[in-house]
Amino acid sequence: MNVHRTTATASRVLRQLRHDPRSIALMLLVPCVMLFLLRYVFDGSPGTFNSIGASLLGIFPLITMFLVTSIATLRERTTGTLERLLAMPMAKADLIGGYALAFGALAIIQSALATGLALWALDLNVTGSAWLLLLVALLDALLGTALGLFVSAFAASEFQAVQFMPAVIFPQLLLCGLFTPRDRMQPVLEAISNVLPMSYAVDGMNEVLHHTDLTATYIRDALIVAGCAALVLALGAATLRRRTP
């Protein structure tokens, strides 16, 4: 992996995104809009928003980054851009790293906007530090980026890329502990939830929600989410194809 080639790839992706305001709006504004709607859906019971708002602060960025990244990467392959780039002296890791760096930069902005909105405009009450909340939100967005890069290798069209959401995101959403504590699930489902990264993202958010100090459980959850993102990026580099058959 070459640092110069990776940063050059990231710069190219950011320049392209600059001319795609719809994708930028989807990445940066949709999580904020969803949090805003959620706050006033539970306007009569603010305690409900406080109990699930922190979890969804991590889930919404993950979903939007997954969608945008998978579609954008697939578009690069179907238009022949990836094939031309890989014909140059550039490793697959350089390309994946460049995409991850570019979308990661947007993930930082997205997570900061969503966290700031939830804490200071929507009155989300958390016991712990806002910085710890922001860190988990950022890791979730990076995980969504990594998953999007990975699944794009298996899609032949943008429609197929969107179809991966029910297979990759929805099971994690149902089993992450958002709707019911994971230890109350059927034992097989609990065991499955224990290996899904979104479960640890929700656990990390709940640690910030209920504890004033940095806890060992929070550190474990953050490291697991970060490790999963790194692992999926490595798998994405290994499965990246030059073209769509």
Side-chain angles (χ1 to χ4, degrees):
M1 188 171 180
N2 183 282
V3 175
H4 175 71
R5 293 168 184 164
T6 300
T7 54
T9 301
S11 298
R12 180 185 63 82
V13 173
L14 289 174
R15 287 195 300 269
Q16 288 180 330
L17 286 173
R18 186 179 61 185
H19 301 291
D20 188 359
R22 287 177 295 182
S23 294
I24 294 176
L26 178 63
M27 285 184 285
L28 300 185
L29 299 181
V30 167
C32 295
V33 172
M34 296 300 290
L35 285 170
F36 183 84
L37 290 175
L38 185 71
R39 168 63 181 84
Y40 290 102
V41 164
F42 296 109
D43 189 43
S45 55
T48 303
F49 177 73
N50 282 328
S51 64
I52 67 173
S55 300
L56 292 174
L57 181 60
I59 292 174
F60 287 155
L62 188 155
I63 293 174
T64 55
M65 293 305 294
F66 173 85
L67 275 175
V68 173
T69 307
S70 59
I71 292 174
T73 308
L74 178 66
R75 189 179 300 165
E76 293 270 81
R77 195 173 73 242
T78 55
T79 57
T81 302
L82 281 182
E83 185 175 10
R84 292 192 294 271
L85 289 172
L86 290 175
M88 303 168 62
M90 177 181 293
K92 291 182 178 181
D94 295 326
L95 278 175
I96 291 294
Y99 280 102
L101 192 61
F103 286 108
L106 291 172
I108 292 174
I109 302 173
Q110 178 198 70
S111 302
L113 288 174
T115 303
L117 175 70
L119 293 178
W120 295 304
L122 302 181
D123 297 323
L124 177 66
N125 295 318
V126 296
T127 304
S129 169
W131 292 107
L132 296 179
L133 202 67
L134 175 61
L135 176 60
V136 179
L138 174 58
L139 290 176
D140 289 345
L142 292 176
L143 176 62
T145 298
L147 289 171
L149 290 170
F150 175 64
V151 304
S152 67
F154 303 98
S157 66
E158 294 180 12
F159 180 66
Q160 286 187 8
V162 174
Q163 287 179 314
F164 272 105
M165 175 174 278
V168 176
I169 301 297
F170 286 178
Q172 296 192 66
L173 185 62
L174 292 174
L175 299 177
C176 69
L178 178 64
F179 302 104
T180 186
R182 292 192 289 124
D183 57 7
R184 297 182 186 176
M185 295 179 184
Q186 200 274 342
V188 173
L189 295 181
E190 181 185 358
I192 294 173
S193 73
N194 289 335
V195 299
L196 297 176
M198 191 183 290
S199 299
Y200 296 95
V202 171
D203 287 350
M205 288 295 192
N206 287 331
E207 286 294 305
V208 181
L209 190 65
H210 299 296
H211 297 87
T212 57
D213 300 323
L214 181 65
T215 65
T217 302
Y218 175 89
I219 296 173
R220 180 207 66 183
D221 295 336
L223 289 176
I224 289 175
V225 175
C228 288
L231 175 62
V232 174
L233 281 177
L235 292 174
T239 57
L240 183 66
R241 293 182 293 164
R242 290 173 179 263
R243 66 175 72 181
T244 298

